[in-house]
């Protein structure tokens, strides 16, 4: 028997991706949940670099490659290209 605290299968399906600030490791792990965080970040960065124009668009929003997080606007750009995790 399910308790009130547990989401039903329908509730899980209805859950939508939240456009908010994410740590780089946190966002990478949403896309690549089955590998270690640093490996996920490395692979995620390669995806960003390989996506035509994405890195340039992110830099235009003020992204610093050394920053540890993405702004909601940067997350939206990433999801436009890579789709929702």
């Amino acid at each position: 028997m399910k308790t009130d605290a547990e989401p039903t299968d329908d509730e899980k399906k209805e859950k939508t991706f939240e456009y908010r600030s994410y740590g780089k490791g946190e966002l990478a792990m949403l896309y690549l949940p089955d590998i270690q965080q640093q490996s996920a970040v490395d692979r995620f960065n390669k995806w960003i670099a390989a996506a035509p124009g994405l890195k340039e668009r992110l830099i235009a929003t003020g992204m610093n490659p050394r920053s540890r997080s993405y702004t909601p606007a940067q997350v939206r750009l990433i999801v436009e290209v890579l789709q929702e995790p």
Side-chain angles (χ1 to χ4, degrees), residues 1-8:
M1 179 177 201
K2 288 193 176 278
T3 65
D4 290 336
E6 292 180 51
T8 65

Side-chain angles (χ1 to χ4, degrees), residues 28-29 32-42:
M29 291 300 294
L32 299 154
D34 298 326
I35 62 176
Q36 293 293 318
Q37 182 171 324
Q38 188 57 55
S39 296
V41 170
D42 292 344

Side-chain angles (χ1 to χ4, degrees), residues 41-82:
V41 170
D42 292 344
R43 190 175 302 174
F44 192 65
N45 286 336
K46 287 179 184 177
W47 290 357
I48 288 172
L54 179 55
K55 188 172 184 176
E56 292 78 12
R57 290 172 68 194
L58 289 169
I59 290 170
T61 67
M63 182 191 81
N64 179 335
R66 293 180 182 216
S67 69
R68 293 178 165 236
S69 61
Y70 294 111
T71 67
Q74 292 163 349
V75 170
R76 191 168 294 280
L77 286 174
I78 291 167
V79 172
E80 281 178 15
V81 175
L82 301 180

